[in-house]
């Protein structure tokens, strides 16, 4: 009989799921930055083709997300997450053995299925199935751990690339899914067997949210994911357009990860006393404020911009799980989260191309595009009431 953790082993559950999430993110979302160029070169292609395949994977993840969420609502998340590790491994192996660009694209499509079944939305839904409205703390906990996915993933991908090659790096990530992430997900409770009482600081079930709340939240998630992905792809170029040197732009960009983690620690401690809507409003406003600082002070404000943007993005990642839980409750949470995040995945896929074109055409003034989107997201959050 497979050993499973009891729901009251909260710390162990967060550690297991957070580590498995780290493998999932590091082996999908973060590998193009390191492997896209050698991957494309082996087929005589431009790296743009590999990034296009990755964008396709995000669209696939958007399509599969609602199904995966509904499945988790019915049977719990353990089985779905374990299946995602097998799907991830299959896609990565297909990349490793791909004899042609067509097979490479097929491998990325399968990885997209794994992303829709096994990244944050599935992890959040799994925790909601275990803890109900008391899942806010565990959700924050897994984002604290998986927030280091790039910190772990980029160097490890680079090491495997340097030692063996990009195909072997993909095989290495497939092995990590099968030998590390899969056994860790197998330790999780089913998620439908018990739902402990909510934590003392968790509010009782709230009145129904206003009409249109789903549409507003879907817009907020799409807008903030667009901004986050646009900055992830083009931050050094943006800061250089503001007058920062290459070294300063890179150093400032390196602060985003620590800023995200620090903000999540703040959410786990001080901000958990407040309704998730309050922290989401502050976080959504952080990028527009950062943009105004950058426009006002130019290159010397690069560090301030990175810290503000990173902190806001770190809290918004948590809000994508805790805000729907607080507004709508745990019933049907997984499927609802899948639908809410489907537009966000599509926005992610389009963000690098759209913002890149804006940066080329407008230079630093391109920041007004993401600042405006951030202001609209903040306004949408103020249109929601706490319940």
């Amino acid at each position: 009989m497979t050993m499973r953790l009891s729901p009251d082993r909260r710390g162990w559950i967060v550690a297991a799921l957070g580590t498995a999430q780290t493998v999932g993110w590091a082996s999908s979302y973060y590998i193009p930055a390191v492997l896209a160029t050698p991957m494309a070169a082996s087929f005589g292609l431009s790296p743009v083709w590999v990034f296009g395949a990755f964008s396709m994977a995000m669209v696939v993840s958007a399509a599969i997300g609602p199904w995966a969420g509904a499945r988790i609502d019915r049977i719990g998340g353990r089985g779905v997450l374990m299946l995602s590790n097998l799907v991830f491994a299959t896609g990565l192996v297909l990349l490793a053995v791909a004899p042609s660009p067509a097979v490479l694209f097929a491998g990325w499509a399968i990885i997209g299925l794994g992303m829709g079944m096994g990244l944050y939305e599935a992890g959040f839904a799994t925790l909601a199935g275990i803890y109900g409205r008391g899942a806010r703390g565990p959700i924050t906990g897994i984002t604290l751990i998986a927030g280091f996915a790039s910190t772990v993933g980029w160097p490890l991908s680079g090491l495997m690339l340097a030692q063996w090659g990009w195909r072997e790096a993909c095989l290495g990530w497939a092995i990590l899914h099968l030998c590390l992430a899969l056994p860790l997900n197998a330790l999780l409770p089913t998620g439908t067997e018990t739902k402990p009482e909510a934590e003392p600081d968790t509010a009782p079930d709230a009145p129904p949210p206003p009409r249109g709340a789903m549409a507003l939240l879907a817009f907020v998630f799409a807008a903030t994911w667009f901004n986050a992905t646009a900055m992830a792809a083009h931050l050094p170029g943006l800061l250089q357009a503001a007058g920062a040197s290459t070294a300063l732009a890179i150093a400032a960009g390196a602060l985003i990860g620590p800023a995200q983690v620090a903000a999540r620690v703040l959410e786990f401690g001080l901000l958990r006393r407040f309704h998730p809507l309050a922290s989401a409003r502050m976080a959504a406003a952080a990028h527009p404020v950062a943009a105004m600082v950058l426009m006002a002070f130019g290159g010397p404000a690069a560090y301030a911009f990175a810290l503000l943007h990173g902190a806001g993005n770190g809290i918004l990642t948590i809000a994508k799980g805790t805000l729907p839980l607080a507004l709508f409750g745990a019933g049907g949470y997984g499927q609802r989260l899948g639908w809410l995040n489907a537009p966000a995945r599509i926005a992610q896929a389009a963000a690098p191309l759209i913002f890149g074109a804006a940066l080329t055409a407008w230079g630093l003034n391109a920041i007004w595009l993401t600042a405006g989107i951030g202001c609209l997201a903040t306004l949408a959050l103020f249109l929601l009431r706490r319940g």
Side-chain angles (χ1 to χ4, degrees):
M1 182 176 179
T2 304
M3 183 184 74
R4 297 187 195 177
L5 294 167
S6 169
D8 59 6
R9 303 293 297 273
R10 185 167 301 202
W12 287 99
I13 289 173
V14 168
L17 182 53
T19 303
Q21 286 284 307
T22 301
V23 174
W25 281 97
S27 63
S28 58
Y29 191 81
Y30 290 111
I31 63 171
V34 178
L35 302 184
T37 297
M39 193 179 289
S42 67
F43 295 102
L45 299 173
S46 164
V48 171
W49 285 95
V50 177
F51 284 107
F54 175 60
S55 294
M56 176 199 64
M58 287 193 284
V59 173
V60 172
S61 75
I64 199 69
W67 173 86
R71 188 77 175 169
I72 291 171
D73 289 336
R74 289 197 301 272
I75 67 171
R78 176 177 174 272
V80 175
L81 290 172
M82 291 172 67
L83 178 60
S84 78
N85 296 129
L86 299 176
V87 173
F88 270 128
T90 300
L92 288 161
V93 169
L94 199 55
L95 292 185
V97 302
S100 67
V103 178
L104 189 78
F105 269 72
W108 275 111
I110 293 173
I111 289 174
L113 290 175
M115 293 168 71
M117 299 165 59
L119 294 185
Y120 274 151
E121 291 86 351
F124 295 163
T126 300
L127 292 173
I130 298 171
Y131 297 112
R133 284 185 177 267
R136 181 176 180 178
I139 285 173
T140 305
I142 67 167
T143 65
L144 278 172
I145 298 172
F148 290 99
S150 61
T151 306
V152 173
W154 282 336
L156 187 52
S157 290
L159 179 62
M160 291 189 287
L161 174 65
Q163 291 293 321
W164 303 307
W166 74 264
R167 292 182 184 272
E168 290 78 6
C170 291
L171 283 176
W173 283 117
I175 291 169
L176 283 172
H177 270 285
L178 297 177
C179 297
L180 178 60
L182 178 61
L184 288 174
N185 282 328
L187 292 175
L188 300 175
T190 300
T192 56
E193 295 171 350
T194 180
K195 288 188 180 178
E197 292 297 321
E199 295 173 333
D201 62 346
T202 303
D205 283 351
R211 293 181 61 182
M214 280 284 289
L216 285 171
L217 272 187
F219 170 76
V220 169
F221 292 171
T224 52
W225 269 119
F226 179 94
N227 284 355
T229 307
M231 293 301 103
H234 296 290
L235 182 63
L238 175 68
L239 296 180
Q240 286 177 277
S245 66
T246 301
L248 177 59
I250 293 173
L255 292 177
I256 288 184
Q260 290 182 151
V261 173
R264 289 169 186 170
V265 171
L266 182 65
E267 161 68 22
F268 191 74
L270 177 64
L271 294 181
R272 71 183 300 179
R273 301 177 184 178
F274 302 96
H275 193 279
L277 193 53
S279 56
R281 288 167 176 167
M282 290 187 292
H287 180 80
V289 171
M292 288 188 287
V293 170
L294 188 65
M295 289 298 293
F297 299 101
Y303 289 127
F305 178 87
L307 289 171
L308 283 167
H309 170 77
N313 192 50
I315 293 177
L316 283 167
T317 301
I318 299 170
K320 289 175 176 64
T322 59
L323 197 48
L325 187 62
L327 291 175
F328 301 103
Y333 173 82
Q335 185 176 35
R336 185 177 296 111
L337 205 59
W339 284 116
L340 283 171
N341 281 282
R345 293 294 186 194
I346 296 171
Q348 270 189 296
L353 177 62
I354 293 174
F355 189 77
L359 189 61
T360 300
W362 304 332
L364 179 58
N365 285 321
I367 194 64
W368 293 121
L369 173 63
T370 54
I373 291 172
C375 287
L376 290 174
T378 306
L379 176 62
L381 287 169
F382 274 99
L383 293 177
L384 288 170
R385 68 168 186 265
R386 286 180 47 168

